[in-house]
Amino acid sequence: MTFRKPLAVASLALLVLAAVVVVRTLLFTPKPQPHLAKAELAVDSQRIASHLSEAIAFATVSYDDPAQIDRAPFQGFLAWLATTYPKVHANLKVEAINHYGRLFTWPGSDPSLAPILLSAHYDVVPVQQSSAGLWQQPPFSGLIKDGYIWGRGALDDKSAAVALMESLSDLVNAGFSPRRTLMVALNFDEEVGSEHGAKAIAAMLKARHIEPLWSLDEGSFVLDGVVSGVALPVASINVAEKGYLTIDVTAHGQGGHSSMPPHQTAVGILAQALVRLQNAPVPGGLDGLSAEMFDNLARYMPFDKRLLFANRWLFGALLNAELSKSATTNATLRTTTAPTMLSGSVKSNVLPVTAEAVINFRLHPRDNVDSVLRYVQKTIDDDRVSIAVRDGRNASSVSDSQGPGFLALAKASREVYGDVVVTPGLTVGATDSSYYDSAVQNAYRFNPMVLKKDELGMFHGINERITVANMAAATRFYSLLMKDAASH
Ligand SMILES: [Zn+2]
């Protein structure tokens, strides 16, 4: 009898544990959403499509080397903007930002309310010569065919710029008058760092002591079939964006002839340092924003996946390990480490005195430049290796996922797209919001268009295009959003 009792206790404990796990999973269901009817709001999708088509035909290409930039298409685009949206230009205050940017201000009747800032960029990345032949339609044709508008900028980000203008135009025509001030910015240098666009607007707002309640700029999309395990489209309204840090790692060795090398050359020392860094990713995991995001999404997943997320107290380590395996989810969990450039000796038989690597980190909001540098130093742990910072910027602050801006974006998403999962998310690249972050109370990053898995590669890639239906939906979204947000 005596040896059986512990076994019985253990079985009972296991049974209780299993019951707790299952009950928690069964209770882990989608949070109740306010019922919203799809909003009836007619837009002229053919007109919107042809306007985007015309906008794409201006090759407003940003190059890192300013000397390469041809400003004629930028001027052409701005002239087109003025003739295409005359009432917006006549009824709103229009300011030029460093010649090529435009800031439209629609003053609200109640000046005590902080304004809303909506923003997009109309510059685009170049089309690589080598890939030009791979496009099914010429990249600056703006061709409308089979329900698509084709060309560079169709997703990133002329579509948002044009949809914003269409909404403003519709609202002006409808006689709308905002109670809260609306600001719409069209930027022209997002693809090369925003030094003269968003940065200047942020500085101007500060100088004028204007602090918008919230801002909206490009970010994630209504992701359809992109989030693994979630059948419904996911409106990922991103509340933060990662920072970055680029460092030079230099290993110091002995020079000389390669016929009598030391045990380790500078290249070997450097390789060892890189391997140590690769094998020890910057710590991260499901906490803070990442936890909130997966807590929203996992409620829509099949039972086996829900079971893990509903019981993070038990499966937390397993989940972290699993999510770290995919490059996409890993990037949302932690600061990522990417060695990108390498150099050593200039000649095959000369020992390198130094060997250098460049490593690019993308900083999660929980880390900062200093903490990552300390981590790198500790992990490499080799005094033959020195580290120098090339460039870096901390992650943005994390905007409120319960505040009025987020709620307005969630509401407009549901009004346009119906049954979608709305979740706060994290932008892993850099956008204009990194500048707005310090000038507004909350910065949100979201494009109100549906994006499917096979379209992810079109950003800065080939065959960039958007559906006519998506442009119509985006225009409806911005109109509903502006009407709602500017009314109270
Ligand atoms: Zn963009």
Side-chain angles (χ1 to χ4, degrees):
M1 275 309 276
T2 44
F3 65 91
R4 279 195 185 168
K5 208 171 174 186
L7 199 67
V9 171
S11 319
L12 186 68
L14 212 62
L15 214 67
V16 170
L17 183 72
V20 168
V21 165
V22 169
V23 169
R24 286 184 62 95
T25 309
L26 292 173
L27 294 174
F28 192 63
T29 52
K31 293 174 185 164
Q33 300 298 343
H35 180 73
L36 281 176
K38 273 203 177 188
E40 295 302 325
L41 178 75
V43 293
D44 182 345
S45 39
Q46 290 317 311
R47 183 202 70 202
I48 296 166
S50 52
H51 283 165
L52 177 61
S53 161
E54 290 162 20
I56 286 172
F58 296 98
T60 47
V61 180
S62 277
Y63 292 95
D64 286 321
D65 172 11
Q68 263 189 284
I69 302 176
D70 178 6
R71 286 302 179 195
F74 287 77
Q75 284 154 349
F77 175 84
L78 293 172
W80 170 84
L81 203 67
T83 50
T84 308
Y85 306 102
K87 286 193 184 164
V88 176
H89 284 73
N91 286 271
L92 275 62
K93 180 179 155 197
V94 189
E95 290 173 275
I97 308 295
N98 285 319
H99 307 294
Y100 304 106
R102 288 291 178 269
L103 180 63
F104 298 89
T105 303
W106 199 350
S109 57
D110 184 349
S112 73
L113 298 175
I116 305 291
L117 171 64
L118 306 169
S119 170
H121 67 91
Y122 73 89
D123 65 320
V124 296
V125 292
V127 172
Q128 279 178 307
Q129 288 280 306
S130 57
S131 71
L134 299 172
W135 283 70
Q136 291 171 41
Q137 310 298 343
F140 293 101
S141 62
L143 191 80
I144 305 174
K145 197 180 171 204
D146 303 329
Y148 283 97
I149 308 139
W150 287 76
R152 180 58 90 223
L155 288 171
D156 181 12
D157 184 35
K158 267 184 183 159
S159 41
V162 167
L164 280 168
M165 293 306 293
E166 293 293 325
S167 295
L168 280 180
S169 176
D170 284 350
L171 291 176
V172 170
N173 282 328
F176 178 69
S177 67
R179 206 177 139 209
R180 184 189 293 280
T181 297
L182 287 170
M183 302 174 109
V184 172
L186 300 187
N187 290 320
F188 66 101
D189 64 345
E190 194 279 338
E191 299 292 1
V192 287
S194 316
E195 281 289 312
H196 307 286
K199 191 177 175 183
I201 289 176
M204 202 175 82
L205 290 171
K206 281 185 204 168
R208 291 177 185 175
H209 305 289
I210 297 170
E211 189 186 27
L213 184 64
W214 51 270
S215 64
L216 174 67
D217 190 59
E218 67 180 332
S220 192
F221 284 73
V222 181
L223 304 168
D224 187 3
V226 175
V227 181
S228 149
V230 181
L232 286 176
V234 174
S236 181
I237 298 168
N238 291 358
V239 293
E241 82 184 56
K242 289 180 111 176
Y244 65 93
L245 169 65
T246 307
I247 59 171
D248 288 300
V249 179
T250 307
H252 303 266
Q254 293 165 18
H257 197 277
S258 64
S259 56
M260 284 195 294
H263 170 63
Q264 250 185 336
T265 72
V267 167
I269 298 168
L270 180 67
Q272 182 176 297
L274 294 180
V275 168
R276 281 182 183 163
L277 280 177
Q278 291 267 262
N279 287 344
V282 180
L286 275 182
D287 56 28
L289 173 57
S290 318
E292 191 182 352
M293 190 172 83
F294 281 102
D295 184 69
N296 277 310
L297 297 174
R299 289 168 188 274
Y300 295 85
M301 292 180 180
F303 188 85
D304 55 335
K305 284 188 176 171
R306 250 166 61 215
L307 183 129
L308 300 178
F309 285 98
N311 294 282
R312 279 203 283 132
W313 58 282
L314 187 59
F315 300 118
L318 177 72
L319 275 173
N320 283 340
E322 278 304 308
L323 295 171
S324 300
K325 283 182 191 164
S326 136
T328 323
T329 44
N330 184 51
T332 66
L333 294 191
R334 59 166 46 81
T335 293
T336 51
T337 305
T340 50
M341 298 162 82
L342 271 179
S343 60
S345 174
V346 291
K347 202 168 181 306
S348 61
N349 62 357
V350 173
L351 295 174
V353 179
T354 60
E356 286 106 28
V358 175
I359 307 183
N360 181 248
F361 298 88
R362 294 303 171 111
L363 272 49
H364 192 276
R366 80 168 74 77
D367 299 318
N368 58 52
V369 168
D370 291 334
S371 70
V372 171
L373 282 174
R374 278 197 303 276
Y375 182 79
V376 168
Q377 212 104 42
K378 197 183 83 192
T379 306
I380 294 179
D381 189 28
D382 189 336
D383 51 21
R384 298 168 298 173
V385 176
S386 61
I387 291 160
V389 174
R390 266 198 188 193
D391 200 6
R393 177 169 71 203
N394 287 335
S396 72
S397 56
V398 179
S399 293
D400 187 359
S401 58
Q402 310 293 327
F406 191 93
L407 296 179
L409 293 164
K411 182 170 173 243
S413 300
R414 293 201 175 94
E415 283 173 331
V416 172
Y417 290 107
D419 210 6
V420 290
V421 184
V422 178
T423 183
L426 173 67
T427 294
V428 294
T431 70
D432 279 341
S433 288
S434 60
Y435 289 109
Y436 297 146
D437 188 45
S438 64
V440 304
Q441 293 176 40
N442 285 285
Y444 299 104
R445 303 153 181 85
F446 177 61
N447 290 55
M449 299 98 173
V450 173
L451 193 73
K452 297 202 160 82
K453 201 166 192 172
D454 60 339
E455 294 168 332
L456 292 170
M458 293 176 190
F459 289 84
H460 299 196
I462 59 168
N463 290 321
E464 188 176 349
R465 60 186 185 269
I466 191 168
T467 61
V468 172
N470 246 339
M471 277 305 289
T475 303
R476 295 177 70 232
F477 174 93
Y478 287 128
S479 294
L480 292 166
L481 180 73
M482 287 189 211
K483 276 213 292 205
D484 179 34
S487 299
H488 50 81

